[in-house]
Amino acid sequence: MKATGLETMTYDPSNIFAKILRGEIPCKKVTETAHSLAFHDIRPQTPVHVLVIPKGAYVSMDDFSAKASEAEIVDFVRTVGKVARDAGVAESGYRMLSNHGADANQEVAHFHVHVFGGRRIGRMVERPHD
Ligand code: AMP
């Protein structure tokens, strides 16, 4: 099975978002702050589909919530809110979502929040009663 970097919770700097942060691969940037970067998802699932990531090396929400500084956390949360407002979905509604680990199908082992919006998104989970 392909390694994802999530197996040990040790940050793997070869993940795709780390490469974006180092400028090794391009992204469609939405905004950037001292501690956070927002860019368009390469395979958008809704008309608005932006990813917000911290610049620091955190594997997932589990890691970020435990280890990030208050400045990083405040910056990150404010950036997510601003991205949604700037995308024009604060009025119509949006969903912020973050996958941690195998049960949530996290694919990229650098913490990120998805901001989905621009249409009715549907219910929260695929099979709510399983
Ligand atoms: P997750 O399953 O929560 O880890 O989601 C990873 C997301 O990263 C997916 O929605 C992918 O489409 C997106 N993604 C993967 N590579 C890139 C990239 N180079 N630029 C932008 N988004 C990407």
Side-chain angles (χ1 to χ4, degrees):
M1 201 176 96
K2 191 167 159 274
T4 62
L6 290 160
E7 294 82 358
T8 60
M9 286 294 291
T10 303
Y11 186 80
D12 175 1
S14 69
N15 77 75
I16 197 104
F17 294 168
K19 290 180 181 170
I20 287 174
L21 283 168
R22 290 194 298 267
E24 293 167 9
I25 62 166
C27 71
K28 282 172 68 184
K29 185 159 90 175
V30 172
T31 193
E32 183 172 5
T33 65
H35 297 294
S36 309
L37 175 69
F39 53 93
H40 293 283
D41 196 290
I42 204 164
R43 288 184 296 273
Q45 297 185 39
T46 48
V48 172
H49 185 176
V50 177
L51 299 171
V52 186
I53 69 173
K55 291 183 175 177
Y58 301 102
V59 176
S60 72
M61 177 60 183
D62 185 61
D63 200 13
F64 185 73
S65 61
K67 297 182 192 152
S69 67
E70 290 188 12
E72 289 174 299
I73 293 169
V74 168
D75 181 291
F76 187 80
V77 173
R78 291 211 190 281
T79 301
V80 172
K82 183 175 174 353
V83 160
R85 281 191 299 279
D86 290 352
V89 294
E91 293 279 319
S92 52
Y94 63 92
R95 179 169 298 153
M96 51 180 282
L97 179 150
S98 185
N99 295 313
H100 163 68
D103 278 358
N105 278 328
Q106 184 180 358
E107 288 173 8
V108 178
H110 181 111
F111 176 49
H112 52 282
V113 161
H114 298 253
V115 177
F116 296 109
R119 66 164 168 82
R120 294 301 293 263
I121 300 166
R123 61 189 182 193
M124 283 191 284
V125 294
E126 202 175 4
R127 296 186 307 276
H129 302 299
D130 281 6

